[in-house]
Amino acid sequence: QKEVEQDPGPLSVPEGAIVSLNCTYSNSAFQYFMWYRQYSRKGPELLMYTYSSGNKEDGRFTAQVDKSSKYISLFIRDSQPSDSATYLCAMTLNDMRFGAGTRLTVKP
Amino acid sequence: DAGVIQSPRHEVTEMGQEVTLRCKPISGHNSLFWYRQTMMRGLELLIYFNNNVPIDDSGMPEDRFSAKMPNASFSTLKIQPSEPRDSAVYFCASRDREGTEAFFGQGTRLTVV
């Protein structure tokens, strides 16, 4: 079993849809949870960062962490074509472990 | 700061040749990571340095891969001999301290023919 599991998709939604992206993990020692966004032929860039269980909101983006279930989510409201990218969850203890990434396409 | 700088951006080499990838982390960052990204396996951690010391190299696929960090501003990832299955995008990332954001370079796209 991988330490971090993420459905690679691809996921295609119409513009304006709510997008839900999820990851599960096996190591309960992970302390920090992040979502990175990666555009084609670019390096990943940090999108959201959380430490504790609960929700964190930033504009159209909401990150959720449920440590008891070892489950994290990223919600995108009012999705836009510019949101089309690969979204990777990441978790840190000392190093950083990534999920496989979910490729999202938002169609106009 | 110019961010994490990787070179070369693209590398095409023949099977059996030695390949060296280079990384300059962000000044002041004390952690450095090498990742390999493929469609099949996603973003895999190869090795992690802290204060120039390799902390975890359990992700290095085999003895053909080696990484060094001779000082705080430079790291190399070497593959010798290279094989077609090594074809991937290799990313370097650096971080200020544990629990903070890691910044990625643009990656090196390696093709071994």
Side-chain angles (χ1 to χ4, degrees):
Chain A
Q1 181 190 8
K2 284 187 175 182
E3 276 191 300
V4 183
E5 298 276 2
Q6 181 178 9
D7 185 343
L11 183 62
S12 181
V13 301
E15 183 176 354
I18 296 174
V19 176
S20 173
L21 305 168
N22 310 293
C23 288
T24 59
Y25 62 95
S26 57
N27 189 345
S28 58
F30 284 131
Q31 297 178 339
Y32 301 92
F33 305 89
M34 304 177 185
W35 285 93
Y36 279 75
R37 180 171 59 192
Q38 184 178 22
Y39 291 111
S40 180
R41 298 187 176 271
K42 300 287 187 182
E45 294 181 318
L46 183 69
L47 183 63
M48 296 282 287
Y49 173 104
T50 57
Y51 171 68
S52 58
S53 285
N55 294 356
K56 182 176 182 179
E57 191 171 318
D58 184 2
R60 296 183 295 108
F61 298 88
T62 299
Q64 280 187 351
V65 175
D66 182 347
K67 287 188 174 180
S68 63
S69 301
K70 299 191 184 68
Y71 189 87
I72 71 170
S73 301
L74 177 71
F75 297 95
I76 307 174
R77 291 183 300 280
D78 188 25
S79 56
Q80 302 294 309
S82 58
D83 296 329
S84 298
T86 297
Y87 291 80
L88 303 107
C89 59
M91 304 179 191
T92 74
L93 185 52
N94 296 311
D95 57 28
M96 289 188 65
R97 304 283 171 161
F98 283 82
T102 300
R103 181 179 292 183
L104 171 68
T105 301
V106 181
K107 296 185 175 181
Chain B
D1 200 314
V4 177
I5 299 173
Q6 291 186 244
S7 64
R9 290 293 308 276
H10 303 274
E11 176 81 29
V12 180
T13 191
E14 291 185 347
M15 181 174 62
Q17 296 297 308
E18 177 179 296
V19 176
T20 299
L21 312 181
R22 297 173 175 80
C23 175
K24 182 181 187 305
I26 292 173
S27 177
H29 283 190
N30 59 19
S31 294
L32 184 140
F33 307 87
W34 282 100
Y35 290 91
R36 177 173 67 178
Q37 188 174 40
T38 61
M39 290 290 290
M40 290 295 293
R41 301 174 70 90
L43 196 62
E44 300 175 279
L45 177 64
L46 299 178
I47 188 168
Y48 156 52
F49 291 88
N50 195 49
N51 293 321
N52 312 337
V53 176
I55 302 300
D56 183 359
D57 65 354
S58 60
M60 297 285 263
E62 47 198 272
D63 292 345
R64 297 184 298 106
F65 285 69
S66 62
K68 294 182 179 179
M69 192 164 186
N71 56 62
S73 59
F74 185 66
S75 177
T76 59
L77 178 67
K78 186 177 292 186
I79 308 172
Q80 165 64 20
S82 58
E83 296 183 2
R85 61 192 167 118
D86 301 331
S87 298
V89 181
Y90 291 80
F91 285 103
C92 174
S94 71
R95 183 180 70 184
D96 180 11
R97 61 187 185 279
E98 182 181 325
T100 61
E101 175 183 1
F103 293 83
F104 282 77
Q106 293 293 318
T108 295
R109 183 172 297 271
L110 173 66
T111 303
V112 183
V113 298

